[in-house]
Amino acid sequence: MEAVKTRVKQDIRKIKPEQLNTFLAEAGEKPFRARQIQEWLWKKSAGSFDEMSNLSLKTRDWLKENFVINAVQVAQQQRSSDQTIKSMFRLHDGHFVEGVLIPTETRMTACVSSQVGCSLTCKFCATGYMERKRNLEAAEIYDQVVLISQQAEENYGIPLSNIVYMGMGEPLLNYANVLQSVDHITSSEGLGMSPKRITVSTAGIAKMIKKLGDDDVKFNLALSLHAANDTKRNQIMPINETNTLKALQEALLYFYDKTKNRLTFEYIVFYNFNDTLEDARELWEFTKRIPSKVNIIEYNPISEATFKNTETDRLEQFAAFLEDKGVTVNIRRSRGKDIDAACGQLAIKQK
Ligand code: SF4
């Protein structure tokens, strides 16, 4: 069997199936080998060619000579007093990202990262204070889901039920890889999960929200809103300067029109910043035309910023105002605070 022409070892999971078929045919392998290899790579999440036990040693050697599997590894794991597990994942080039397993009574949710760092500099978010280094490959996102899913089984004996793209990075700035990772997660040749159990959360890139509509995606979309007037939102999310609330509203209506997927708005309540009844009224005005629900999220202070979590009675009044207007509201208590695993706290800190 001859080696493929280029001697640079390629990441086998970045190669399109048709291309792998061609390489294998050139190497004199039977067509069904490609299917077996794909099954090892995705469904069985093989981290090395040696694991591919139904391939001949010769085929495995040929694969090793020509390709690599850039598998993600768990470098560190921390368990919160509320059973949340945060993992630091090591990527093949030495970068790190974080992911979180959030167990609740009804769900086992994996929160995964889509970029190393983030370029959007949201003021309340620890990742926003890190430099963006690179996008994650589809396989690197997929690996996080697989590893967190193993943690769910090993620690709680319950399979993963939901996946949220709310870790480090802006998913819609890594559009192609994020969509490809969802394809693998939902494919019967991958994890076979329903797209309805996946939520991609964006800080708000209007053009890409419309593209999701054009691509008729089946997963859920969440917008990290956090303020429903441009002046306030500009202060905490600089992306709003070029993607105003009006542009976002239009993009979300377009998305809904195309996909009929109900939106989720994430709204962190900061003390004395966006927690008054006037803020609640603006939020209602913004959301009322869009079939949606609102998740009100407790804030977890980070050392880089001075925002504080709101007080319980202010939060309750805020939620009650929205409910009175007929908005579907969920209050999300913070999880994994003691290990910096809560929303907005993810940043690589070696312990
Ligand atoms: S909230 Fe999301 S988009 Fe904003 S800086 Fe943090 S990771 Fe990036």
Side-chain angles (χ1 to χ4, degrees):
M1 209 185 301
E2 282 180 27
V4 285
K5 287 178 192 90
T6 165
R7 300 296 304 173
V8 179
K9 291 190 187 186
Q10 296 189 62
D11 178 351
I12 193 165
R13 292 188 295 176
K14 275 173 76 174
I15 298 172
K16 293 206 170 77
E18 318 80 74
Q19 223 181 335
L20 184 61
N21 291 353
T22 311
F23 286 152
L24 284 162
E26 282 172 9
E29 284 285 359
K30 300 257 173 5
F32 69 88
R33 289 281 177 231
R35 213 176 44 246
Q36 285 178 321
I37 294 168
Q38 295 292 356
E39 191 176 40
W40 278 109
L41 291 175
W42 298 103
K43 202 170 192 124
K44 298 180 184 165
S45 295
S48 74
F49 296 113
D50 288 325
E51 290 170 47
M52 302 183 174
S53 53
N54 57 357
L55 305 184
S56 68
L57 277 178
K58 199 168 133 207
T59 306
R60 284 186 245 165
D61 286 343
W62 177 81
L63 287 168
K64 277 190 247 176
E65 264 171 50
N66 293 290
F67 303 104
V68 285
I69 302 174
N70 287 332
V72 171
Q73 284 163 353
V74 179
Q76 210 174 77
Q77 243 188 76
Q78 288 173 273
R79 190 161 164 162
S80 158
S81 53
D82 67 17
Q83 309 308 319
T84 297
I85 298 176
K86 179 172 83 167
S87 301
M88 184 161 82
F89 296 114
R90 185 187 299 107
L91 310 180
H92 70 95
D93 57 0
H95 286 309
F96 293 93
V97 292
E98 290 181 336
V100 186
L101 170 66
I102 309 152
T104 65
E105 273 174 23
T106 51
R107 292 174 176 200
M108 276 282 157
T109 303
C111 173
V112 295
S113 295
S114 56
Q115 296 182 307
V116 181
C118 187
S119 57
L120 295 193
T121 66
C122 301
K123 301 295 177 235
F124 51 85
C125 169
T127 312
Y129 291 85
M130 296 170 68
E131 200 187 331
R132 177 201 164 280
K133 302 276 191 201
R134 70 168 173 87
N135 285 340
L136 293 194
E137 299 295 341
E140 291 173 326
I141 300 172
Y142 183 85
D143 280 357
Q144 291 175 68
V145 175
V146 170
L147 291 166
I148 295 175
S149 166
Q150 287 166 1
Q151 292 172 349
E153 296 276 5
E154 282 161 18
N155 289 277
Y156 305 112
I158 300 173
L160 207 60
S161 62
N162 296 74
I163 301 166
V164 293
Y165 286 65
M166 287 187 193
M168 302 166 81
E170 165 52 54
L172 299 192
L173 292 181
N174 185 14
Y175 190 91
N177 291 343
V178 162
L179 261 64
Q180 214 185 316
S181 69
V182 171
D183 283 348
H184 286 297
I185 292 165
T186 54
S187 162
S188 59
E189 286 158 15
L191 300 180
M193 287 186 74
S194 161
K196 290 281 149 238
R197 301 207 163 257
I198 300 175
T199 301
V200 171
S201 176
T202 177
I205 320 281
K207 194 170 91 184
M208 304 316 282
I209 292 172
K210 284 189 171 171
K211 184 159 169 49
L212 288 174
D214 289 333
D215 288 340
D216 196 17
V217 297
K218 303 289 179 239
F219 53 77
N220 304 300
L221 180 64
L223 176 73
S224 296
L225 187 59
H226 312 319
N229 85 51
D230 281 316
T231 311
K232 282 191 185 179
R233 199 162 188 267
N234 286 348
Q235 281 177 47
I236 55 171
M237 302 181 77
I239 186 67
N240 195 70
E241 288 162 19
T242 46
N243 290 262
T244 60
L245 288 166
K246 187 165 180 295
L248 290 177
Q249 195 175 43
E250 191 197 311
L252 293 170
L253 284 166
Y254 183 89
F255 172 86
Y256 180 77
D257 198 44
K258 292 271 180 179
T259 64
K260 297 290 176 277
N261 281 0
R262 201 159 75 116
L263 273 298
T264 301
F265 293 104
E266 309 283 351
Y267 192 98
I268 302 178
V269 269
F270 303 106
Y271 176 69
N272 220 7
F273 177 75
N274 64 353
D275 62 347
T276 65
L277 289 183
E278 177 56 16
D279 294 303
R281 194 192 56 74
E282 285 174 347
L283 177 55
W284 169 63
E285 291 285 350
F286 181 79
T287 60
K288 69 182 180 189
R289 286 175 55 212
I290 307 168
S292 58
K293 62 178 175 168
V294 174
N295 287 343
I296 295 179
I297 305 167
E298 271 189 344
Y299 181 59
N300 312 290
I302 54 167
S303 53
E304 294 87 345
T306 53
F307 295 104
K308 284 195 288 189
N309 188 20
T310 192
E311 291 163 350
T312 309
D313 56 339
R314 287 168 81 107
L315 183 137
E316 279 166 6
Q317 282 171 25
F318 191 96
F321 176 92
L322 293 170
E323 276 167 350
D324 268 4
K325 296 284 185 195
V327 179
T328 307
V329 179
N330 297 306
I331 298 178
R332 294 258 189 261
R333 303 285 170 201
S334 198
R335 300 294 306 261
K337 271 195 248 191
D338 53 337
I339 54 167
D340 287 350
C343 183
Q345 286 186 318
L346 297 187
I348 301 299
K349 287 184 204 156
Q350 306 237 15
K351 299 249 158 89

